[in-house]
Amino acid sequence: KFGTLLWTTLPFISDYAYMYGDFAIDRYSGNAYIVQGLFGFGAKIKKLNPYGLSLASFPGIKTAVEMWRITFDPCTNKGIIGGGGDSPFQIAYLDTTLATVNPINYLGPHNDIASIAIDDYGFCYQIVSGINKIIKLPMSNLSSTIYQVSTGYNTAEYDSNFFYDPSSDYSPSYNGITISNQTLYTTDGYDVKKWNSNTGILLNSKNIASSPDGDQTHKYWSGIASNNCDQILVSNNDKILLLDGGLNILKTIAMPNFVYDIMIQNKNVYVSGKNFVSTFSLNELTCPNIIANITEPDSCRGLGTATLSITGGIAPFTINWSTTPAQSTNTVSGLLAGTTYYYFIEDNSCPKNKKS
């Protein structure tokens, strides 16, 4: 039953951590990896099974006293840890046995990894606070920078809600970057931005909240998530906004309190916030499924037809066939032998190029 508390754990109960870290789930095994955040003798890591029992732990090393972010790709069984602070450590591969951590420094001290994401093409993206840049790295070599571009945000190394300070009311600690296909989306809680992930070029920007002068609490800051159809959920105070690929607001969903972080899985949305967790379904998040049914001609000199069967997605749909003359209905006729392409766009601008 959704919302039933199964277990709780305090993985670092014996340590004082000024700011907490992050966790990632291996969706295949259900195991969780938890990084401590900040600890002066070296940030620790815990690996828990789906029942909250400890499977392994890393005791920490002095060259990695801060571990702010962790992300995990269950398809490749690889994870990345983002750090920072005084120690010369920005990033490291996750050893799933937790036997070792080998910190990599490519920026120098006091460049904290505030947000992190990995794509399906072997690349890692980070928002680095302090210098306020998006940095792209290859997963195969986490020290070879592909590009660095300014985020246009105004975040400090500390006192920002990318990190969790237990003494602050407005300190949700969220991941402010997500990737959909080859498009990056970022947020600082005030502005949502769309980037070309290949080049780092800014494509679009949308203001969703005002930024008071001298605001040090950033109380509107919170998480962002996307699916493979360039549909974005971004939280704004005690609401979640559904945006399309053009950053148009399609829907506003009220939440009980400040929203901290969001995850999308199929059309299900999982939310953590101040004093609550929540899950709900959004039909708008259902990507379209398209099947082309082809009818062969009765004779070798006849012409064929094809009909698109569409389920899911958001109507109205736009369909364009590569026929002469052009056709734009679900069923196309007069097809010659060979390959015919169709271009499909649903109402939320999720394009699909196919052939039949």
Side-chain angles (χ1 to χ4, degrees):
K1 181 181 178 181
F2 287 129
T4 301
L5 180 62
L6 301 178
W7 49 265
T8 61
T9 183
L10 293 172
F12 310 112
I13 190 171
S14 62
D15 299 332
Y16 170 75
Y18 174 63
M19 292 183 178
Y20 299 158
D22 197 7
F23 73 96
I25 303 294
D26 177 352
R27 294 186 187 177
Y28 284 167
S29 67
N31 295 332
Y33 298 91
I34 306 173
V35 293
Q36 189 173 19
L38 170 62
F39 188 61
F41 298 101
K44 300 179 180 181
I45 311 172
K46 288 278 189 177
K47 179 179 181 180
L48 305 179
N49 72 7
Y51 305 99
L53 301 177
S54 179
L55 298 177
S57 61
F58 179 73
I61 52 177
K62 283 289 290 182
T63 52
V65 300
E66 298 179 20
M67 295 185 185
W68 298 117
R69 288 281 167 245
I70 182 170
T71 186
F72 189 82
D73 180 3
C75 296
T76 61
N77 199 39
K78 290 183 178 179
I80 302 292
I81 301 169
D86 295 331
S87 57
F89 161 52
Q90 268 80 49
I91 202 164
Y93 294 106
L94 171 69
D95 175 2
T96 55
T97 68
L98 303 192
T100 60
V101 168
N102 295 306
I104 298 171
N105 171 36
Y106 66 96
L107 290 173
H110 301 290
N111 289 293
D112 293 355
I113 306 304
S115 297
I116 193 167
I118 52 179
D119 65 15
D120 296 328
Y121 305 97
F123 298 100
C124 174
Y125 307 84
Q126 306 153 74
I127 295 177
V128 183
S129 65
I131 61 173
N132 294 300
K133 288 186 176 181
I134 297 174
I135 297 180
K136 180 178 180 179
L137 300 170
M139 290 280 285
S140 58
N141 180 356
L142 292 177
S143 59
S144 298
T145 302
I146 297 174
Y147 61 68
Q148 297 187 29
V149 295
S150 173
T151 63
Y153 299 138
N154 182 26
T155 62
E157 179 199 0
Y158 50 87
D159 293 334
S160 74
N161 283 354
F162 284 119
F163 313 114
Y164 178 75
D165 178 356
S167 65
S168 171
D169 242 2
Y170 300 116
S171 190
S173 177
Y174 74 98
N175 197 42
I177 190 169
T178 183
I179 186 161
S180 175
N181 297 312
Q182 295 187 30
T183 304
L184 281 176
Y185 297 94
T186 62
T187 182
D188 67 346
Y190 303 123
D191 295 297
V192 179
K193 297 187 178 184
K194 177 179 180 179
W195 311 79
N196 183 313
S197 68
N198 293 316
T199 62
I201 293 175
L202 179 65
L203 303 176
N204 200 357
S205 181
K206 174 79 171 183
N207 177 256
I208 60 171
S210 60
S211 177
D213 293 338
D215 174 24
Q216 295 300 312
T217 60
H218 303 289
K219 68 179 182 180
Y220 294 108
W221 286 26
S222 39
I224 189 170
S226 62
N227 63 10
N228 287 331
C229 281
D230 285 288
Q231 294 166 301
I232 308 101
L233 288 177
V234 59
S235 42
N236 170 237
N237 203 337
D238 58 354
K239 300 180 292 294
I240 293 177
L241 307 179
L242 172 63
L243 283 67
D244 64 14
L247 301 188
N248 302 298
I249 298 175
L250 304 178
K251 192 170 188 176
T252 300
I253 304 125
M255 289 283 109
N257 210 323
F258 297 116
V259 176
Y260 293 167
D261 231 336
I262 312 171
M263 184 181 75
I264 299 174
Q265 190 171 14
N266 300 320
K267 64 178 181 179
N268 295 320
V269 181
Y270 301 89
V271 184
S272 65
K274 186 177 181 180
N275 301 321
F276 81 94
V277 293
S278 178
T279 181
F280 56 90
S281 295
L282 278 180
N283 290 330
E284 291 90 343
L285 293 176
T286 305
C287 292
N289 182 53
I290 307 170
I291 299 175
N293 300 300
I294 301 171
T295 302
E296 301 283 352
D298 293 333
S299 65
C300 62
R301 296 187 180 184
L303 300 176
T305 62
T307 300
L308 298 184
S309 175
I310 304 166
T311 56
I314 303 175
F317 305 119
T318 301
I319 302 169
N320 292 306
W321 294 87
S322 63
T323 56
T324 304
Q327 300 182 61
S328 57
T329 58
N330 284 46
T331 299
V332 64
S333 59
L335 298 180
L336 299 170
T339 300
T340 300
Y341 291 87
Y342 65 84
Y343 186 68
F344 172 90
I345 303 178
E346 66 172 316
D347 187 56
N348 65 345
S349 303
C350 179
K352 288 180 178 289
N353 285 295
K354 297 290 183 180
K355 64 181 180 180
S356 65

